[in-house]
Amino acid sequence: MPDARKRRPTRRAAAYLVVIAILLGLGAGVAGAVRSWQDRCEVVDRYALAVAPGIADAVTDVLARADTGCTSFTVSVAEPGDVTGLLGTGEGAPDLWIPDSGSWATRASAIASGPVQTILTPIATTPAVLVARVGEVPEVATWRAALALPNLRPGNPLRTGIAASAIRAALAETEDDAVAIGTVRTAMAPLAQRESDRVDEPPAGSVLFDLIASDGGVGVGTEQQLQEYIASHAPETAAPETAAPGTVALEAVVPDNGSILLDYSLVVTSPEPERHRAATAAARVLADVFATQWARDVFVEHGFRDPAGHALPDGAGLGEITTMTLTDESIAQESLRAWAVLALPIRTLVAVDVSASMNTSVGGSTLLQLTEQAARSGTAMFPGSVQAGLWVFADDLGENGQDHREVLPIRRLDATVGGHTQRELMNSLSTAVGSTAGDRSAVSDTTLAAFRQMQATYDPRAINSVIVLTDGEDDEPDGISEEDLIATLEREQNPARPVIVVTVGITADADAEALAAISHATGGTSYIAQEPGDISAIFVSALADRAG
Protein backbone atom coordinates (compact mmCIF):
# COMPACT_ATOMS: atom_id res chain seq x y z
CA MET A 1 0.00 0.00 0.00
CA PRO A 2 1.39 3.48 -0.74
CA ASP A 3 2.83 5.27 2.26
CA ALA A 4 0.14 7.40 3.90
CA ARG A 5 2.44 9.21 6.32
CA LYS A 6 3.36 11.90 3.80
CA ARG A 7 -0.25 13.00 3.72
CA ARG A 8 -2.01 15.55 5.83
CA PRO A 9 -0.78 19.03 6.63
CA THR A 10 -3.08 19.34 9.64
CA ARG A 11 -4.78 22.25 11.39
CA ARG A 12 -6.17 20.03 14.13
CA ALA A 13 -4.82 21.95 17.12
CA ALA A 14 -6.52 25.16 16.01
CA ALA A 15 -9.66 23.27 15.11
CA TYR A 16 -9.94 21.73 18.55
CA LEU A 17 -9.86 25.16 20.18
CA VAL A 18 -12.82 26.20 18.08
CA VAL A 19 -14.68 22.94 18.64
CA ILE A 20 -14.29 23.20 22.40
CA ALA A 21 -15.91 26.62 22.24
CA ILE A 22 -18.73 25.28 20.12
CA LEU A 23 -19.30 22.32 22.43
CA LEU A 24 -19.47 24.55 25.49
CA GLY A 25 -21.70 27.10 23.79
CA LEU A 26 -19.25 29.88 24.62
CA GLY A 27 -19.60 32.16 21.59
CA ALA A 28 -17.20 34.74 23.02
CA GLY A 29 -14.43 32.13 23.11
CA VAL A 30 -14.61 31.17 19.45
CA ALA A 31 -11.77 32.26 17.21
CA GLY A 32 -12.11 35.64 15.51
CA ALA A 33 -13.24 34.26 12.15
CA VAL A 34 -16.16 32.51 13.78
CA ARG A 35 -16.97 35.45 16.02
CA SER A 36 -17.15 37.80 13.04
CA TRP A 37 -20.14 36.06 11.54
CA GLN A 38 -21.89 35.29 14.80
CA ASP A 39 -21.51 38.81 16.21
CA ARG A 40 -23.84 40.16 13.56
CA CYS A 41 -26.64 37.89 14.83
CA GLU A 42 -29.07 39.01 17.51
CA VAL A 43 -29.90 35.33 18.10
CA VAL A 44 -27.76 32.30 17.26
CA ASP A 45 -29.79 29.12 16.67
CA ARG A 46 -27.96 26.12 18.08
CA TYR A 47 -28.45 22.52 16.98
CA ALA A 48 -27.11 19.26 18.39
CA LEU A 49 -25.11 17.31 15.80
CA ALA A 50 -24.16 13.69 16.55
CA VAL A 51 -21.23 12.48 14.45
CA ALA A 52 -19.75 9.02 13.91
CA PRO A 53 -16.23 8.75 15.40
CA GLY A 54 -14.39 8.25 12.11
CA ILE A 55 -15.49 11.54 10.58
CA ALA A 56 -15.71 13.66 13.74
CA ASP A 57 -12.32 15.36 13.32
CA ALA A 58 -13.02 16.27 9.71
CA VAL A 59 -16.47 17.68 10.53
CA THR A 60 -15.12 19.81 13.37
CA ASP A 61 -12.36 21.11 11.11
CA VAL A 62 -14.97 22.17 8.56
CA LEU A 63 -17.15 23.82 11.20
CA ALA A 64 -14.15 25.71 12.55
CA ARG A 65 -13.70 27.41 9.17
CA ALA A 66 -17.29 27.66 7.89
CA ASP A 67 -19.63 30.63 7.91
CA THR A 68 -23.02 29.12 8.76
CA GLY A 69 -24.70 32.46 9.41
CA CYS A 70 -26.77 32.62 12.58
CA THR A 71 -26.77 28.83 12.94
CA SER A 72 -24.37 27.01 15.25
CA PHE A 73 -23.79 23.29 15.74
CA THR A 74 -22.89 21.55 18.98
CA VAL A 75 -20.91 18.45 18.04
CA SER A 76 -20.95 15.18 19.96
CA VAL A 77 -19.30 11.91 18.95
CA ALA A 78 -21.48 8.79 19.04
CA GLU A 79 -21.56 5.39 17.41
CA PRO A 80 -24.51 5.08 15.00
CA GLY A 81 -26.02 2.15 16.89
CA ASP A 82 -26.17 4.27 20.06
CA VAL A 83 -27.88 7.14 18.23
CA THR A 84 -30.40 4.71 16.74
CA GLY A 85 -31.25 3.65 20.28
CA LEU A 86 -31.95 7.26 21.28
CA LEU A 87 -34.23 7.75 18.29
CA GLY A 88 -36.51 4.93 19.46
CA THR A 89 -38.02 7.09 22.21
CA GLY A 90 -36.75 10.48 21.06
CA GLU A 91 -35.29 11.18 24.51
CA GLY A 92 -31.82 12.65 24.09
CA ALA A 93 -32.05 12.42 20.31
CA PRO A 94 -29.83 14.86 18.39
CA ASP A 95 -31.24 17.38 15.93
CA LEU A 96 -28.84 16.25 13.20
CA TRP A 97 -26.78 13.14 12.63
CA ILE A 98 -23.86 12.01 10.51
CA PRO A 99 -23.65 8.19 10.73
CA ASP A 100 -20.91 6.16 9.07
CA SER A 101 -23.29 4.68 6.51
CA GLY A 102 -26.44 5.90 4.83
CA SER A 103 -28.05 2.57 5.73
CA TRP A 104 -28.41 3.72 9.34
CA ALA A 105 -31.05 6.27 8.34
CA THR A 106 -33.11 3.50 6.74
CA ARG A 107 -32.79 1.35 9.82
CA ALA A 108 -33.56 4.19 12.24
CA SER A 109 -36.62 5.39 10.32
CA ALA A 110 -38.34 2.06 10.97
CA ILE A 111 -38.16 2.45 14.75
CA ALA A 112 -37.77 6.18 15.44
CA SER A 113 -40.39 8.10 17.38
CA GLY A 114 -40.17 10.96 14.88
CA PRO A 115 -39.22 11.51 11.24
CA VAL A 116 -35.75 10.63 9.96
CA GLN A 117 -34.83 12.62 6.86
CA THR A 118 -31.63 12.39 4.82
CA ILE A 119 -30.55 15.80 3.49
CA LEU A 120 -27.20 15.06 1.88
CA THR A 121 -25.65 11.75 0.89
CA PRO A 122 -22.85 11.19 0.75
CA ILE A 123 -20.76 13.90 2.39
CA ALA A 124 -17.65 11.80 1.92
CA THR A 125 -16.78 8.15 1.34
CA THR A 126 -14.17 5.58 2.25
CA PRO A 127 -13.89 1.91 1.29
CA ALA A 128 -14.09 -0.95 3.77
CA VAL A 129 -10.75 -2.73 4.04
CA LEU A 130 -8.99 -5.60 5.76
CA VAL A 131 -6.12 -4.44 7.97
CA ALA A 132 -3.14 -6.50 9.17
CA ARG A 133 0.57 -6.23 9.78
CA VAL A 134 2.68 -5.61 6.71
CA GLY A 135 3.36 -8.98 5.12
CA GLU A 136 0.51 -10.68 7.01
CA VAL A 137 -2.42 -9.33 5.03
CA PRO A 138 -4.35 -12.28 3.60
CA GLU A 139 -5.11 -12.62 -0.08
CA VAL A 140 -8.81 -13.35 -0.39
CA ALA A 141 -10.95 -13.40 -3.50
CA THR A 142 -14.22 -12.33 -1.89
CA TRP A 143 -15.66 -10.84 1.26
CA ARG A 144 -17.35 -14.17 1.94
CA ALA A 145 -13.87 -15.68 2.10
CA ALA A 146 -12.79 -12.85 4.38
CA LEU A 147 -15.62 -13.61 6.81
CA ALA A 148 -14.26 -17.15 7.09
CA LEU A 149 -10.76 -16.03 8.15
CA PRO A 150 -10.04 -17.68 11.54
CA ASN A 151 -8.31 -14.59 12.95
CA LEU A 152 -10.79 -11.97 11.71
CA ARG A 153 -11.79 -9.20 14.13
CA PRO A 154 -15.06 -7.93 12.64
CA GLY A 155 -16.26 -5.57 15.39
CA ASN A 156 -19.89 -5.06 16.36
CA PRO A 157 -22.09 -4.59 13.25
CA LEU A 158 -25.07 -3.68 15.42
CA ARG A 159 -23.22 -0.58 16.62
CA THR A 160 -20.98 0.60 13.76
CA GLY A 161 -21.38 0.72 10.01
CA ILE A 162 -17.68 -0.04 9.66
CA ALA A 163 -18.13 -3.42 11.33
CA ALA A 164 -21.28 -4.05 9.28
CA SER A 165 -19.45 -3.24 6.05
CA ALA A 166 -17.86 -6.69 5.79
CA ILE A 167 -21.31 -8.30 5.93
CA ARG A 168 -22.80 -5.76 3.54
CA ALA A 169 -19.94 -6.27 1.07
CA ALA A 170 -20.40 -10.05 1.20
CA LEU A 171 -24.12 -9.58 0.55
CA ALA A 172 -23.40 -7.21 -2.33
CA GLU A 173 -21.37 -10.02 -3.95
CA THR A 174 -24.29 -12.42 -3.70
CA GLU A 175 -27.35 -10.19 -3.94
CA ASP A 176 -28.84 -11.93 -6.97
CA ASP A 177 -28.29 -15.45 -5.65
CA ALA A 178 -30.47 -16.63 -2.76
CA VAL A 179 -28.30 -19.70 -2.17
CA ALA A 180 -25.15 -17.58 -1.99
CA ILE A 181 -26.84 -15.19 0.47
CA GLY A 182 -27.38 -18.22 2.68
CA THR A 183 -23.65 -18.93 2.61
CA VAL A 184 -22.98 -15.41 3.89
CA ARG A 185 -25.16 -16.09 6.93
CA THR A 186 -23.41 -19.41 7.42
CA ALA A 187 -20.06 -17.60 7.43
CA MET A 188 -21.44 -15.05 9.91
CA ALA A 189 -22.56 -17.67 12.43
CA PRO A 190 -19.23 -18.56 14.11
CA LEU A 191 -18.22 -14.88 14.24
CA ALA A 192 -21.50 -13.95 15.90
CA GLN A 193 -21.39 -16.85 18.34
CA ARG A 194 -17.85 -15.90 19.31
CA GLU A 195 -19.13 -12.42 20.13
CA SER A 196 -21.81 -13.85 22.45
CA ASP A 197 -19.12 -14.80 24.98
CA ARG A 198 -17.53 -11.34 25.00
CA VAL A 199 -18.10 -9.28 28.14
CA ASP A 200 -17.01 -5.96 26.66
CA GLU A 201 -17.47 -4.04 23.43
CA PRO A 202 -15.19 -5.35 20.65
CA PRO A 203 -12.32 -3.00 19.80
CA ALA A 204 -12.61 -0.61 16.86
CA GLY A 205 -10.56 2.11 15.17
CA SER A 206 -7.14 2.89 16.61
CA VAL A 207 -7.69 0.52 19.55
CA LEU A 208 -8.26 -2.34 17.13
CA PHE A 209 -5.23 -1.36 15.07
CA ASP A 210 -3.06 -1.26 18.20
CA LEU A 211 -4.18 -4.80 19.03
CA ILE A 212 -3.40 -5.98 15.52
CA ALA A 213 0.03 -4.36 15.69
CA SER A 214 0.80 -6.13 18.97
CA ASP A 215 -1.05 -9.45 18.62
CA GLY A 216 -1.64 -9.92 14.90
CA GLY A 217 -4.91 -10.88 13.28
CA VAL A 218 -7.04 -9.21 10.64
CA GLY A 219 -9.35 -6.30 11.38
CA VAL A 220 -12.25 -4.79 9.49
CA GLY A 221 -11.70 -1.06 9.09
CA THR A 222 -11.65 1.65 6.47
CA GLU A 223 -9.02 3.19 4.27
CA GLN A 224 -9.55 6.50 6.07
CA GLN A 225 -9.05 4.97 9.53
CA LEU A 226 -5.73 3.47 8.51
CA GLN A 227 -4.60 6.74 6.90
CA GLU A 228 -5.30 8.58 10.17
CA TYR A 229 -3.67 5.81 12.23
CA ILE A 230 -0.45 5.78 10.21
CA ALA A 231 -0.25 9.56 10.27
CA SER A 232 -0.61 9.64 14.07
CA HIS A 233 1.90 6.86 14.76
CA ALA A 234 4.93 8.07 12.83
CA PRO A 235 6.61 11.36 11.82
CA GLU A 236 4.84 12.83 8.82
CA THR A 237 8.02 12.81 6.78
CA ALA A 238 9.26 9.36 7.80
CA ALA A 239 9.55 6.62 5.27
CA PRO A 240 8.48 3.08 6.31
CA GLU A 241 12.10 1.94 6.65
CA THR A 242 12.92 4.79 9.04
CA ALA A 243 9.96 4.39 11.40
CA ALA A 244 10.63 4.50 15.12
CA PRO A 245 12.14 1.32 16.63
CA GLY A 246 9.46 -1.11 17.76
CA THR A 247 6.84 0.34 15.43
CA VAL A 248 4.84 -2.32 13.65
CA ALA A 249 3.63 -1.19 10.24
CA LEU A 250 0.09 -1.98 9.16
CA GLU A 251 -1.38 -2.13 5.69
CA ALA A 252 -4.77 -2.63 4.12
CA VAL A 253 -6.19 -4.62 1.22
CA VAL A 254 -9.58 -5.30 -0.28
CA PRO A 255 -10.60 -8.67 -1.74
CA ASP A 256 -9.95 -9.27 -5.41
CA ASN A 257 -13.48 -8.28 -6.42
CA GLY A 258 -13.40 -4.88 -4.68
CA SER A 259 -15.16 -3.34 -1.73
CA ILE A 260 -18.15 -1.38 -0.57
CA LEU A 261 -18.00 2.35 0.21
CA LEU A 262 -19.07 3.75 3.54
CA ASP A 263 -21.15 6.79 2.63
CA TYR A 264 -21.37 9.36 5.42
CA SER A 265 -24.72 11.16 5.21
CA LEU A 266 -26.30 14.22 6.82
CA VAL A 267 -29.60 13.26 8.45
CA VAL A 268 -32.26 15.27 10.32
CA THR A 269 -33.40 13.36 13.41
CA SER A 270 -35.11 15.85 15.73
CA PRO A 271 -38.33 14.06 16.78
CA GLU A 272 -40.48 17.10 17.62
CA PRO A 273 -42.23 18.36 14.45
CA GLU A 274 -41.58 22.10 14.85
CA ARG A 275 -37.98 21.52 15.88
CA HIS A 276 -37.56 19.06 13.00
CA ARG A 277 -38.62 21.72 10.50
CA ALA A 278 -36.14 24.20 11.94
CA ALA A 279 -33.39 21.56 12.03
CA THR A 280 -34.07 20.75 8.39
CA ALA A 281 -33.37 24.36 7.44
CA ALA A 282 -30.16 24.26 9.50
CA ALA A 283 -29.16 21.00 7.82
CA ARG A 284 -29.52 22.61 4.39
CA VAL A 285 -27.12 25.36 5.51
CA LEU A 286 -24.66 22.70 6.61
CA ALA A 287 -25.18 20.70 3.42
CA ASP A 288 -24.26 23.75 1.35
CA VAL A 289 -21.02 24.03 3.31
CA PHE A 290 -20.17 20.33 2.88
CA ALA A 291 -20.78 20.61 -0.86
CA THR A 292 -18.14 23.31 -1.35
CA GLN A 293 -14.81 22.33 -2.85
CA TRP A 294 -12.82 23.67 0.10
CA ALA A 295 -14.84 21.53 2.53
CA ARG A 296 -14.31 18.45 0.36
CA ASP A 297 -10.61 19.24 0.41
CA VAL A 298 -10.72 19.19 4.21
CA PHE A 299 -12.29 15.74 4.16
CA VAL A 300 -9.57 14.57 1.77
CA GLU A 301 -6.95 15.95 4.19
CA HIS A 302 -8.43 13.61 6.77
CA GLY A 303 -8.18 10.60 4.48
CA PHE A 304 -11.70 10.52 3.01
CA ARG A 305 -12.55 10.07 -0.63
CA ASP A 306 -14.94 12.43 -2.38
CA PRO A 307 -18.65 11.54 -2.70
CA ALA A 308 -17.97 9.67 -5.95
CA GLY A 309 -15.31 7.50 -4.31
CA HIS A 310 -12.35 8.65 -6.40
CA ALA A 311 -8.90 7.54 -5.25
CA LEU A 312 -7.02 9.73 -2.79
CA PRO A 313 -4.47 12.15 -4.30
CA ASP A 314 -0.69 11.82 -4.28
CA GLY A 315 -0.75 8.02 -4.27
CA ALA A 316 -2.22 7.78 -0.78
CA GLY A 317 -4.43 4.88 0.21
CA LEU A 318 -5.36 1.97 -2.01
CA GLY A 319 -5.79 3.81 -5.29
CA GLU A 320 -8.58 2.88 -7.67
CA ILE A 321 -10.70 -0.06 -6.54
CA THR A 322 -13.79 -1.82 -7.83
CA THR A 323 -16.81 -0.47 -5.96
CA MET A 324 -19.66 -2.81 -5.04
CA THR A 325 -23.18 -1.70 -4.21
CA LEU A 326 -25.89 -3.38 -2.17
CA THR A 327 -29.15 -2.32 -3.78
CA ASP A 328 -31.62 -4.19 -1.56
CA GLU A 329 -31.20 -2.83 1.96
CA SER A 330 -33.71 -5.31 3.38
CA ILE A 331 -31.23 -8.14 2.80
CA ALA A 332 -28.70 -6.43 5.04
CA GLN A 333 -31.25 -5.66 7.74
CA GLU A 334 -32.42 -9.27 7.79
CA SER A 335 -28.82 -10.48 8.08
CA LEU A 336 -28.12 -8.08 10.95
CA ARG A 337 -31.19 -9.39 12.76
CA ALA A 338 -29.78 -12.89 12.31
CA TRP A 339 -26.47 -11.66 13.74
CA ALA A 340 -28.31 -10.28 16.77
CA VAL A 341 -29.98 -13.62 17.44
CA LEU A 342 -26.62 -15.40 17.32
CA ALA A 343 -24.34 -12.80 18.89
CA LEU A 344 -26.30 -11.12 21.64
CA PRO A 345 -26.18 -13.00 24.94
CA ILE A 346 -29.28 -13.61 27.00
CA ARG A 347 -30.02 -11.17 29.82
CA THR A 348 -33.21 -11.91 31.70
CA LEU A 349 -35.09 -11.25 34.90
CA VAL A 350 -37.06 -14.30 36.05
CA ALA A 351 -40.15 -13.47 38.13
CA VAL A 352 -41.76 -16.49 39.83
CA ASP A 353 -45.21 -16.56 41.36
CA VAL A 354 -44.90 -17.84 44.96
CA SER A 355 -48.46 -17.22 46.10
CA ALA A 356 -50.21 -19.89 48.18
CA SER A 357 -51.52 -21.81 45.16
CA MET A 358 -47.93 -22.63 44.12
CA ASN A 359 -47.82 -24.96 47.16
CA THR A 360 -50.39 -27.22 45.49
CA SER A 361 -49.08 -30.78 45.52
CA VAL A 362 -48.80 -32.57 42.17
CA GLY A 363 -47.34 -36.07 42.04
CA GLY A 364 -45.50 -35.74 45.34
CA SER A 365 -44.03 -32.28 44.60
CA THR A 366 -45.46 -28.79 44.86
CA LEU A 367 -45.74 -26.57 41.80
CA LEU A 368 -43.05 -24.35 43.31
CA GLN A 369 -40.71 -27.33 43.69
CA LEU A 370 -41.37 -28.35 40.09
CA THR A 371 -40.58 -24.81 38.99
CA GLU A 372 -37.33 -24.93 40.97
CA GLN A 373 -36.42 -28.20 39.28
CA ALA A 374 -37.17 -26.62 35.91
CA ALA A 375 -34.87 -23.71 36.73
CA ARG A 376 -32.12 -26.14 37.74
CA SER A 377 -32.30 -28.18 34.54
CA GLY A 378 -32.83 -25.09 32.39
CA THR A 379 -29.90 -23.03 33.61
CA ALA A 380 -27.63 -26.09 33.37
CA MET A 381 -28.09 -26.09 29.61
CA PHE A 382 -26.84 -22.53 29.01
CA PRO A 383 -23.31 -21.10 28.99
CA GLY A 384 -21.94 -18.95 31.78
CA SER A 385 -22.29 -15.84 29.61
CA VAL A 386 -26.08 -15.89 30.16
CA GLN A 387 -27.12 -13.19 32.64
CA ALA A 388 -30.08 -13.87 34.92
CA GLY A 389 -31.68 -12.46 38.03
CA LEU A 390 -34.54 -13.67 40.20
CA TRP A 391 -37.65 -12.06 41.68
CA VAL A 392 -40.49 -13.72 43.55
CA PHE A 393 -43.97 -12.24 43.81
CA ALA A 394 -47.24 -12.50 45.72
CA ASP A 395 -49.36 -9.89 47.47
CA ASP A 396 -47.48 -7.78 50.06
CA LEU A 397 -44.32 -9.83 49.66
CA GLY A 398 -41.78 -7.04 49.38
CA GLU A 399 -40.97 -3.90 51.32
CA ASN A 400 -43.52 -1.09 51.71
CA GLY A 401 -46.37 -3.25 50.43
CA GLN A 402 -44.62 -4.22 47.18
CA ASP A 403 -45.84 -7.40 45.56
CA HIS A 404 -42.37 -8.56 44.52
CA ARG A 405 -39.01 -9.10 46.18
CA GLU A 406 -35.59 -9.30 44.57
CA VAL A 407 -33.87 -12.55 45.45
CA LEU A 408 -30.88 -12.21 43.11
CA PRO A 409 -29.72 -9.24 41.03
CA ILE A 410 -28.89 -9.89 37.39
CA ARG A 411 -25.44 -11.46 37.03
CA ARG A 412 -23.69 -13.87 34.70
CA LEU A 413 -24.44 -17.50 35.57
CA ASP A 414 -20.72 -18.12 36.08
CA ALA A 415 -20.34 -15.17 38.50
CA THR A 416 -19.32 -16.24 42.00
CA VAL A 417 -20.94 -14.73 45.10
CA GLY A 418 -20.15 -15.98 48.59
CA GLY A 419 -18.58 -19.15 47.30
CA HIS A 420 -21.54 -20.05 45.07
CA THR A 421 -22.11 -19.37 41.39
CA GLN A 422 -25.14 -17.43 40.22
CA ARG A 423 -26.25 -20.63 38.50
CA GLU A 424 -26.33 -22.44 41.87
CA LEU A 425 -28.11 -19.57 43.58
CA MET A 426 -30.80 -19.51 40.88
CA ASN A 427 -31.63 -23.08 41.87
CA SER A 428 -32.46 -22.21 45.50
CA LEU A 429 -35.90 -20.80 44.85
CA SER A 430 -37.89 -22.53 47.61
CA THR A 431 -35.26 -21.65 50.22
CA ALA A 432 -35.43 -17.98 49.22
CA VAL A 433 -39.22 -17.79 49.47
CA GLY A 434 -39.70 -18.95 53.05
CA SER A 435 -43.24 -18.95 54.39
CA THR A 436 -44.20 -15.31 53.88
CA ALA A 437 -46.05 -15.63 50.57
CA GLY A 438 -49.61 -14.30 50.42
CA ASP A 439 -52.69 -15.75 48.79
CA ARG A 440 -52.98 -13.40 45.82
CA SER A 441 -50.97 -13.33 42.61
CA ALA A 442 -49.98 -9.82 41.50
CA VAL A 443 -48.99 -10.74 37.94
CA SER A 444 -49.68 -7.37 36.32
CA ASP A 445 -47.94 -5.16 38.89
CA THR A 446 -44.91 -7.43 38.96
CA THR A 447 -44.69 -7.66 35.18
CA LEU A 448 -44.72 -3.89 34.81
CA ALA A 449 -42.14 -3.41 37.58
CA ALA A 450 -39.84 -6.02 36.03
CA PHE A 451 -40.25 -4.54 32.55
CA ARG A 452 -39.30 -1.08 33.83
CA GLN A 453 -36.36 -2.48 35.77
CA MET A 454 -34.98 -4.08 32.60
CA GLN A 455 -35.48 -0.85 30.68
CA ALA A 456 -33.65 1.13 33.37
CA THR A 457 -30.70 -1.28 33.31
CA TYR A 458 -30.83 -2.04 29.58
CA ASP A 459 -27.75 -3.71 28.10
CA PRO A 460 -27.46 -3.02 24.35
CA ARG A 461 -25.11 -6.00 23.98
CA ALA A 462 -27.77 -8.49 25.04
CA ILE A 463 -31.28 -9.71 24.40
CA ASN A 464 -33.13 -8.17 27.35
CA SER A 465 -36.19 -10.05 28.59
CA VAL A 466 -38.50 -10.70 31.51
CA ILE A 467 -39.78 -14.23 32.19
CA VAL A 468 -42.94 -14.40 34.31
CA LEU A 469 -43.99 -17.80 35.66
CA THR A 470 -47.43 -18.14 37.27
CA ASP A 471 -50.04 -20.82 37.91
CA GLY A 472 -53.06 -18.56 37.98
CA GLU A 473 -54.46 -15.19 37.07
CA ASP A 474 -53.98 -11.70 38.48
CA ASP A 475 -56.32 -11.42 41.46
CA GLU A 476 -54.74 -8.39 43.15
CA PRO A 477 -57.68 -5.97 43.66
CA ASP A 478 -55.57 -2.83 44.05
CA GLY A 479 -53.18 -3.48 41.20
CA ILE A 480 -53.02 -2.28 37.60
CA SER A 481 -55.63 -3.84 35.33
CA GLU A 482 -54.70 -6.14 32.47
CA GLU A 483 -55.90 -3.56 29.93
CA ASP A 484 -53.86 -0.76 31.51
CA LEU A 485 -50.82 -3.01 31.76
CA ILE A 486 -50.93 -3.86 28.06
CA ALA A 487 -51.45 -0.23 27.07
CA THR A 488 -48.54 0.84 29.29
CA LEU A 489 -46.20 -1.84 27.90
CA GLU A 490 -47.03 -0.81 24.33
CA ARG A 491 -46.55 2.87 25.13
CA GLU A 492 -43.28 2.48 27.04
CA GLN A 493 -41.64 -0.08 24.75
CA ASN A 494 -38.64 1.39 22.92
CA PRO A 495 -38.24 -0.46 19.61
CA ALA A 496 -34.56 0.49 19.49
CA ARG A 497 -33.99 -0.91 23.01
CA PRO A 498 -36.62 -3.62 23.25
CA VAL A 499 -37.45 -5.56 26.39
CA ILE A 500 -39.57 -8.61 25.66
CA VAL A 501 -41.87 -10.22 28.20
CA VAL A 502 -42.09 -14.01 28.04
CA THR A 503 -44.91 -15.56 30.07
CA VAL A 504 -45.14 -19.15 31.28
CA GLY A 505 -48.42 -20.51 32.55
CA ILE A 506 -47.89 -23.39 34.98
CA THR A 507 -50.65 -25.97 34.38
CA ALA A 508 -53.92 -25.35 32.58
CA ASP A 509 -55.22 -23.26 35.50
CA ALA A 510 -53.16 -20.30 34.32
CA ASP A 511 -54.99 -17.54 32.45
CA ALA A 512 -53.62 -18.39 28.99
CA GLU A 513 -55.46 -15.60 27.17
CA ALA A 514 -54.25 -12.85 29.51
CA LEU A 515 -50.66 -14.12 29.52
CA ALA A 516 -50.60 -14.28 25.73
CA ALA A 517 -51.87 -10.69 25.48
CA ILE A 518 -49.16 -9.47 27.89
CA SER A 519 -46.38 -11.16 25.91
CA HIS A 520 -47.78 -10.02 22.57
CA ALA A 521 -47.66 -6.37 23.71
CA THR A 522 -43.83 -6.56 23.81
CA GLY A 523 -43.17 -8.99 20.95
CA GLY A 524 -42.59 -11.86 23.36
CA THR A 525 -43.95 -15.40 23.46
CA SER A 526 -46.34 -17.09 25.85
CA TYR A 527 -46.10 -20.75 26.87
CA ILE A 528 -48.50 -22.96 28.79
CA ALA A 529 -47.29 -26.09 30.59
CA GLN A 530 -50.44 -28.18 30.37
CA GLU A 531 -48.86 -30.90 32.50
CA PRO A 532 -46.39 -30.48 35.37
CA GLY A 533 -43.85 -32.53 33.44
CA ASP A 534 -43.81 -29.88 30.71
CA ILE A 535 -42.51 -27.13 33.00
CA SER A 536 -38.83 -27.96 32.60
CA ALA A 537 -38.79 -28.03 28.79
CA ILE A 538 -40.90 -24.88 28.57
CA PHE A 539 -38.63 -23.00 30.98
CA VAL A 540 -35.69 -23.80 28.71
CA SER A 541 -37.63 -22.43 25.73
CA ALA A 542 -38.56 -19.29 27.68
CA LEU A 543 -34.97 -18.68 28.75
CA ALA A 544 -33.77 -19.00 25.15
CA ASP A 545 -36.60 -16.90 23.68
CA ARG A 546 -35.40 -14.08 21.42
CA ALA A 547 -38.69 -13.37 19.70
CA GLY A 548 -38.39 -9.62 20.20
Side-chain angles (χ1 to χ4, degrees), residues 213-244:
S214 62
D215 301 336
V218 180
V220 176
T222 69
E223 177 187 63
Q224 183 274 335
Q225 282 183 317
L226 188 58
Q227 294 290 295
E228 290 274 288
Y229 182 82
I230 293 173
S232 65
H233 280 67
E236 294 189 37
T237 58
E241 63 272 13
T242 61

Side-chain angles (χ1 to χ4, degrees), residues 227-291:
Q227 294 290 295
E228 290 274 288
Y229 182 82
I230 293 173
S232 65
H233 280 67
E236 294 189 37
T237 58
E241 63 272 13
T242 61
T247 299
V248 177
L250 301 179
E251 63 179 338
V253 298
V254 298
D256 295 345
N257 61 347
S259 187
I260 199 165
L261 290 178
L262 280 86
D263 50 338
Y264 292 77
S265 303
L266 177 60
V267 185
V268 182
T269 49
S270 180
E272 196 278 319
E274 199 62 40
R275 179 71 174 177
H276 188 94
R277 283 191 287 273
T280 299
R284 297 195 188 283
V285 171
L286 195 54
D288 288 342
V289 170
F290 289 148

Side-chain angles (χ1 to χ4, degrees), residues 392-406 436:
V392 292
F393 67 93
D395 61 311
D396 296 329
L397 184 64
E399 298 179 358
N400 302 318
Q402 279 186 334
D403 296 315
H404 68 271
R405 185 174 78 238
E406 180 182 80
T436 60

Side-chain angles (χ1 to χ4, degrees), residues 12 15 37 110 175 177 212 248 273 291 337 360 387 389 439 447 472:
R12 182 166 300 171
W37 55 258
E175 190 171 14
D177 186 339
I212 293 172
V248 177
R337 284 192 292 270
T360 302
Q387 303 171 65
D439 293 331
T447 298

Side-chain angles (χ1 to χ4, degrees), residues 321-523:
I321 64 170
T322 301
T323 301
M324 298 184 294
T325 303
L326 180 63
T327 57
D328 187 350
E329 183 59 31
S330 66
I331 297 175
Q333 298 308 319
E334 185 177 346
S335 295
L336 291 174
R337 284 192 292 270
W339 176 282
V341 169
L342 294 168
L344 297 185
I346 298 166
R347 179 177 183 271
T348 192
L349 176 55
V350 181
V352 180
D353 187 343
V354 294
S355 59
S357 60
M358 288 290 284
N359 289 318
T360 302
S361 180
V362 179
S365 299
T366 67
L367 291 178
L368 185 59
Q369 290 170 335
L370 290 171
T371 301
E372 184 177 41
Q373 293 168 16
R376 181 178 297 111
S377 60
T379 56
M381 296 179 62
F382 289 88
S385 60
V386 168
Q387 303 171 65
L390 179 63
W391 282 10
V392 292
F393 67 93
D395 61 311
D396 296 329
L397 184 64
E399 298 179 358
N400 302 318
Q402 279 186 334
D403 296 315
H404 68 271
R405 185 174 78 238
E406 180 182 80
V407 177
L408 295 170
I410 296 175
R411 290 186 286 246
R412 284 172 58 108
L413 291 179
D414 57 8
T416 301
V417 181
H420 297 278
T421 66
Q422 182 81 345
R423 192 191 306 271
E424 293 169 337
L425 296 173
M426 288 286 292
N427 300 334
S428 303
L429 178 60
S430 57
T431 303
V433 174
S435 57
T436 60
D439 293 331
R440 299 185 185 278
S441 178
V443 175
S444 294
D445 281 353
T446 301
T447 298
L448 182 57
F451 175 82
R452 286 173 169 170
Q453 172 69 10
M454 293 301 287
Q455 282 190 319
T457 60
Y458 188 86
D459 182 354
R461 281 194 44 79
I463 298 291
N464 295 255
S465 65
V466 172
I467 301 175
V468 179
L469 299 99
T470 179
D471 69 326
E473 60 183 0
D474 191 311
D475 53 5
E476 174 61 58
D478 299 325
I480 188 173
S481 69
E482 176 193 332
E483 293 77 11
D484 287 345
L485 170 64
I486 291 171
T488 303
L489 292 174
E490 291 175 342
R491 182 176 63 253
E492 295 185 5
Q493 179 71 288
N494 179 351
R497 300 165 62 90
V499 174
I500 61 173
V501 176
V502 179
T503 53
V504 178
I506 300 174
T507 76
D509 291 336
D511 189 341
E513 184 176 348
L515 294 178
I518 291 170
S519 292
H520 179 74
T522 63

Side-chain angles (χ1 to χ4, degrees), residues 63-150:
L63 287 177
R65 310 176 199 186
D67 181 347
T68 55
C70 297
T71 304
S72 179
F73 302 92
T74 301
V75 179
S76 62
V77 181
E79 293 288 5
D82 297 338
V83 176
T84 301
L86 296 176
L87 297 180
T89 60
E91 296 180 9
D95 297 307
L96 306 172
W97 181 28
I98 302 178
D100 58 11
S101 171
S103 62
W104 284 105
T106 302
R107 183 177 178 188
S109 64
I111 59 176
S113 61
V116 175
Q117 179 185 6
T118 299
I119 297 297
L120 177 64
T121 185
I123 297 168
T125 63
T126 185
V129 299
L130 300 171
V131 178
R133 294 169 170 172
V134 171
E136 297 179 7
V137 180
E139 294 184 5
V140 288
T142 66
W143 280 95
R144 278 183 292 168
L147 290 177
L149 291 171

Side-chain angles (χ1 to χ4, degrees), residues 8-20 61 64-65 302:
R8 198 180 126 175
T10 181
R11 306 178 181 86
R12 182 166 300 171
Y16 274 133
L17 293 176
V18 176
V19 172
I20 290 171
D61 262 4
R65 310 176 199 186
H302 283 270

